[in-house]
């Protein structure tokens, strides 16, 4: 940020039942306001205030904010790293990031993502590390550890819409769960939401196959792929319970897949 | 390395949940989890800060009517793995 006293700016951002109002220096806010202009909260949705403050007394950032490990306890998440001091409070319904002026809109976007994860959980949903793919009108969440093939699977699924190849928002619906797109990774197509049909744990293998995933392992994997919340010891029991609730209506499988689209044939045969 | 007189206790932030006969153990500070079978879950629960590792092995050998030497080897290896993952701490 070059200007000594940049103008203030603000914009609203939201997905499903979430809503955030970001306020701060224009050089940080304006790029996100433009990039996320179509991600508007639903009318009447109460927004959390997310304030960004430039503070030159902080040390120069040593890296992007996403490299800072979120520390969460009882619905309060702190992010601390050279050049950054941030806190998101679910109880207060607000968040504040002080950052060195050299921080970037990318850092601001990451902080909004953390706030969204907290707010989504507080309101009944979950931000989830997964490739969200819409196939024949149904949403499939292909998840796994880093390097398991989420982006590859999303690429191989063309021309099916990709809600996001890394992060989606799961939200409860009267019948089952909805999977919402987010702007936090790569997308394909304009589809923003689909009914969640299945959760598929990606495993690279010589041939495509669907296999049962033991309940305990599934639960552990799903919790571990729930960003921010999995770091909160006080909220973890509720997070585990919420995933168990979801698993009562949404099946989970291990999806063995190789680098071609044949995995959709086994999915269609079992779930289509 | 653990020794038989060590007293073990679960990490204070550890969160567990039973699921379909297994115990899901989540370590929030690491963002990691382990899934334990019934025997593993019993070792974790016996690690309450009041028993030595030897007492835990003795208890399991009785409860599971298993060979003492085999139980001791299994418990030592398993407890060490949980200590290495941060799920168990040695009480000083």
């Amino acid at each position: 940020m070059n200007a000594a006293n940049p103008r203030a700016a603000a914009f609203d951002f939201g997905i499903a039942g979430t809503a955030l109002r970001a306020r701060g220096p224009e050089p940080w806010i304006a790029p996100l306001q433009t990039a996320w202009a179509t991600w508007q909260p639903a009318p009447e949705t109460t927004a959390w205030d997310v304030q960004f403050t430039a503070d030159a007394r902080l040390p120069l950032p040593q890296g992007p904010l996403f490299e800072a490990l979120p520390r969460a306890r009882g619905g309060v998440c702190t992010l601390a790293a050279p050049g950054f001091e941030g806190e998101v409070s679910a109880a207060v319904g607000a968040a504040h990031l002080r950052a060195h002026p050299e921080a970037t809109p990318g850092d601001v976007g990451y902080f909004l993502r953390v706030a969204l994860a907290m707010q989504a959980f507080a309101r009944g949903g979950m931000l989830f590390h997964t490739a969200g793919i819409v196939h024949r009108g149904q949403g499939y969440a292909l998840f796994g550890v880093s390097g398991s093939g989420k982006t590859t699977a999303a690429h191989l699924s063309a021309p099916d819409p990709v809600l996001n190849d890394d992060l989606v928002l799961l939200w409860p619906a009267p019948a089952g769960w909805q999977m919402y797109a987010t702007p936090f990774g790569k997308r394909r197509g304009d589809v923003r939401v689909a009914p969640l049909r299945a959760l598929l744990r990606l495993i690279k293998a010589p041939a495509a196959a669907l296999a049962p995933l033991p309940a305990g392992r599934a639960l552990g994997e799903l919790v571990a792929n729930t960003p921010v919340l999995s770091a909160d010891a006080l909220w973890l029991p509720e997070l585990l319970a919420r995933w168990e609730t979801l698993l009562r209506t949404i099946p989970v499988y291990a999806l063995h897949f190789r680098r071609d689209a044949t995995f959709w044939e086994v999915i269609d045969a079992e779930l289509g | 390395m653990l020794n038989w007189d060590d007293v073990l206790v679960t990490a204070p932030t550890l969160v567990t949940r039973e699921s379909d006969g297994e115990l899901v153990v989540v370590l929030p500070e690491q963002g990691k989890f382990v899934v334990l079978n019934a025997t593993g879950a019993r070792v974790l629960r016996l690690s309450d800060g009041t028993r030595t590792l030897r007492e835990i092995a003795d208890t399991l050998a009785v409860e599971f009517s298993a060979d003492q030497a085999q139980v001791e080897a299994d418990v030592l290896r398993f407890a060490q793995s949980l200590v290495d993952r941060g799920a168990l701490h040695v009480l000083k």
Side-chain angles (χ1 to χ4, degrees):
Chain A
M1 195 181 333
N2 294 322
N5 291 299
R7 291 195 322 171
F11 79 104
D12 292 332
F13 168 68
I15 306 165
T18 67
L20 304 173
R21 173 158 297 154
R23 296 185 293 118
E26 190 175 49
W28 285 345
I29 297 296
L32 291 170
Q33 186 173 18
T34 301
W36 296 353
T38 62
W39 302 85
Q40 289 295 305
E44 311 293 318
T45 310
T46 304
W48 285 9
D49 189 54
V50 185
Q51 175 72 50
F52 296 91
T53 306
D55 189 340
R57 294 169 299 177
L58 291 168
L60 268 173
Q62 300 298 302
L65 182 59
F66 74 77
E67 291 179 357
L69 194 64
R71 302 279 180 193
R73 189 161 181 81
V76 176
C77 178
T78 56
L79 280 161
F84 302 101
E85 288 182 6
E87 181 176 289
V88 183
S89 171
V92 178
H96 185 201
L97 178 70
R98 285 196 313 128
H100 189 278
E102 290 296 316
T104 68
D107 298 318
V108 170
Y110 178 73
F111 191 70
L112 285 169
R113 184 195 307 185
V114 171
L116 188 87
M118 301 281 289
Q119 189 190 58
F121 189 72
R123 295 182 175 180
M126 287 182 289
L127 200 61
F128 180 36
H129 266 304
T130 187
I133 299 167
V134 182
H135 181 72
R136 298 183 175 177
Q138 300 288 304
Y140 292 85
L142 281 59
F143 68 99
V145 295
S146 180
S148 61
K150 294 189 290 290
T151 301
T152 301
H155 179 72
L156 291 170
S157 300
D160 283 345
V162 176
L163 297 174
N164 196 284
D165 72 347
D166 187 49
L167 275 169
V168 301
L169 181 61
L170 303 181
W171 204 261
W177 287 71
Q178 297 286 101
M179 183 160 64
Y180 283 83
T182 72
F184 303 133
K186 291 179 184 164
R187 305 182 59 238
R188 183 168 59 233
D190 295 325
V191 179
R192 289 291 178 98
V193 61
L196 181 60
R197 178 68 182 90
L199 302 159
L200 305 168
R201 180 14 172 133
L202 288 169
I203 298 170
K204 289 177 182 169
L210 271 184
L213 191 62
R217 177 152 194 91
L219 192 57
E221 296 256 12
L222 294 167
V223 166
N225 281 288
T226 313
V228 185
L229 278 303
S230 59
D232 190 329
L234 293 181
W235 275 18
L236 259 177
E238 191 177 338
L239 178 61
L240 285 156
R242 190 166 301 172
W243 273 116
E244 280 194 330
T245 300
L246 184 148
L247 290 173
R248 289 191 199 111
T249 53
I250 307 294
V252 59
Y253 296 90
L255 173 62
H256 300 260
F257 88 110
R258 60 181 184 186
R259 290 181 65 92
D260 61 31
T262 55
F263 62 89
W264 283 113
E265 295 172 13
V266 299
I267 293 170
D268 288 339
E270 181 76 23
L271 300 166
Chain B
M1 285 291 293
L2 290 173
N3 68 62
W4 289 110
D5 294 325
D6 283 337
V7 175
L8 300 176
V9 63
T10 54
T13 57
L14 178 146
V15 176
T16 64
R17 191 171 187 90
E18 286 192 31
S19 179
D20 207 16
E22 298 176 311
L23 190 70
V24 183
V25 180
V26 185
L27 302 160
E29 287 165 354
Q30 302 174 28
K32 293 183 177 175
F33 72 96
V34 290
V35 180
L36 306 181
N37 63 15
T39 312
R42 187 69 179 130
V43 172
L44 192 80
R45 292 196 169 109
L46 288 169
S47 301
D48 60 359
T50 68
R51 298 173 178 85
T52 64
L53 194 54
R54 183 176 301 285
E55 288 169 335
I56 292 172
D58 290 346
T59 301
L60 284 175
V62 171
E63 288 183 354
F64 290 90
S65 301
D67 175 71
Q68 179 80 25
Q70 185 62 52
V71 169
E72 287 182 358
D74 290 346
V75 165
L76 190 60
R77 186 173 60 248
F78 178 70
Q80 184 68 57
S81 74
L82 291 185
V83 169
D84 293 343
R85 291 170 187 237
L88 289 179
H89 295 169
V90 178
L91 208 59
K92 301 295 183 187

